[in-house]
Amino acid sequence: MTDKIALTPKTHTTPPAKFSHGVKKGNILQVAGQVGFLPAVEGQPPTPAGPTLREQTLQTLANVKSVLEEGGAGWDDVMMVRVYLTDVDHFAEMNGIYNQYFEEQNLTAPPAARTTVYVGLPAGLLIEIDALAVLG
């Protein structure tokens, strides 16, 4: 039986509740919902990358990538990406940022994706992204 391994990159804060930033078991890696917080600074609260959707989306993708890498994965291992926006008017802008980002990743094939409008993020946060990866 394969052990379940909790993943928390050095760039991330300790989660505020009983969950992990990512979990790996066997060749499956699930990245928990990530938001656009800048890399953690000890003794300081999490800080959003900026007020814009672009700043937060790029930082959120970087945070997802950090968890993937902590688990030995990369974007080519990702099967599914789920994006949660707080404003339906952000769909077009987010799709543009997302498309440009993944074009720059030189993937063999893009992951499946889903975008949902969700209004439950903490104040000031505009986007959350999670990912499911299969290694090997």
Side-chain angles (χ1 to χ4, degrees):
M1 180 179 254
T2 308
D3 289 336
K4 184 169 75 171
I5 301 165
L7 304 170
T8 300
K10 292 181 184 350
T11 55
H12 288 50
T13 59
T14 301
K18 208 66 170 146
F19 66 86
S20 301
H21 285 290
V23 175
K24 181 178 175 183
K25 183 169 176 142
N27 68 335
I28 305 290
L29 192 164
Q30 176 65 56
V31 178
Q34 300 294 302
V35 294
F37 287 140
L38 293 169
V41 176
E42 193 171 331
Q44 293 184 10
T47 305
T52 70
L53 181 64
R54 179 172 192 75
E55 292 166 310
Q56 289 190 28
T57 300
L58 292 174
Q59 185 63 52
T60 300
L61 289 165
N63 293 342
V64 171
K65 185 177 181 183
S66 292
V67 178
L68 290 169
E69 289 173 347
E70 184 76 12
W75 285 117
D76 260 328
D77 299 305
V78 174
M79 302 298 292
M80 181 69 177
V81 171
R82 286 176 291 271
V83 177
Y84 304 91
L85 296 172
T86 59
D87 188 334
V88 70
D89 292 333
H90 288 163
F91 265 94
E93 181 181 359
M94 190 285 301
N95 281 339
I97 297 163
Y98 181 95
N99 287 341
Q100 180 181 4
Y101 179 85
F102 280 104
E103 260 182 40
E104 294 168 0
Q105 302 307 306
N106 298 315
L107 303 179
T108 56
R114 176 165 204 270
T115 303
T116 302
V117 176
Y118 172 73
V119 294
L121 294 177
L125 293 176
L126 305 173
I127 187 167
E128 180 177 349
I129 300 174
D130 70 55
L132 175 66
V134 178
L135 291 78

